[in-house]
Amino acid sequence: MIEIKSEREIQLIREASHIVALCLETLKTQIKPGMTTMELNNICEKIILEHDCLPACKGYEGFPCAVCASVNEVVIHGIPSDKKKLKNGDVVSIDLVASYKGYHGDSAYTYVVGEVSKDVEKLLEVTQGALYEGISKVKPGAHLGDIEAAIGDYIKPHGYGILEQFTGHGIGRSMHEDPAIFNFGTPGTGPILKEGMVLCIEPMVCMGTNKVRILPDKWSVVAKDNKKTAHFEHTVLVTKDGHEILTTL
Ligand code: MF3
Ligand code: CO
């Protein structure tokens, strides 16, 4: 069952989402070679707390930090560390969730550290492009499969791997609500979207294989071929006429 949110609930999700966007925007000007992923975590956590929000990832199923910081072959759920120093040529995906008065906003962005090769730039461009391609299909009356297919069809011609075991999701009072949103699918299938639904759309893409393993830290999801990966996510409201991206400034 996909919940329809009330105006009040949408406003609280909008507030939380706005602070998530503020964190991710701030990092754009701050990420440099030599920084640690724990420093990135701390910048975000400070912004979240300063704005009367809570870092919802911290303590979620035992996750220890405010953000997921996933470097290079780590696709998602990397744990920030003061031992993990970013170096020129890395990519780092930051995924974070803030809650405001019990309601959540969720977004992710993959940053380049210093300069990366053209093929890595392409991976990021395509992954972000796939996110916006999916979002462009969000409107009342659309099938969820329309969004899923748009994402997958955008990525597949590039030969990249799309994670199959992890999906986007609904969001609201919980960080993860129905429906699961795959990053590939078939148009005209799945539930029909209605005004007031709130969806987190999040392509997770690998330069090579989509086969992943979990590190002994029990969280980090790593591409088995150790090639680079990307992850972009927005929290999106289904509006009367189409959609509104909530995780923006
Ligand atoms: N923000 C992630 C998502 O997109 C989930 C983070 S897992 C956590 O669904 F444990 F860090 F919270
Ligand atoms: Co999410």
Side-chain angles (χ1 to χ4, degrees), residues 115-131:
E115 278 179 31
V116 299
S117 63
K118 279 272 175 294
D119 55 342
V120 174
E121 270 174 15
K122 186 79 189 171
L123 171 72
L124 271 45
E125 250 174 58
V126 169
T127 306
Q128 190 177 35
L131 169 59

Side-chain angles (χ1 to χ4, degrees), residues 95 106 167-169 176 200 202 233:
D95 181 5
D106 183 1
T167 64
H169 49 93
H176 295 132
C200 293
E202 47 179 321
E233 174 177 18

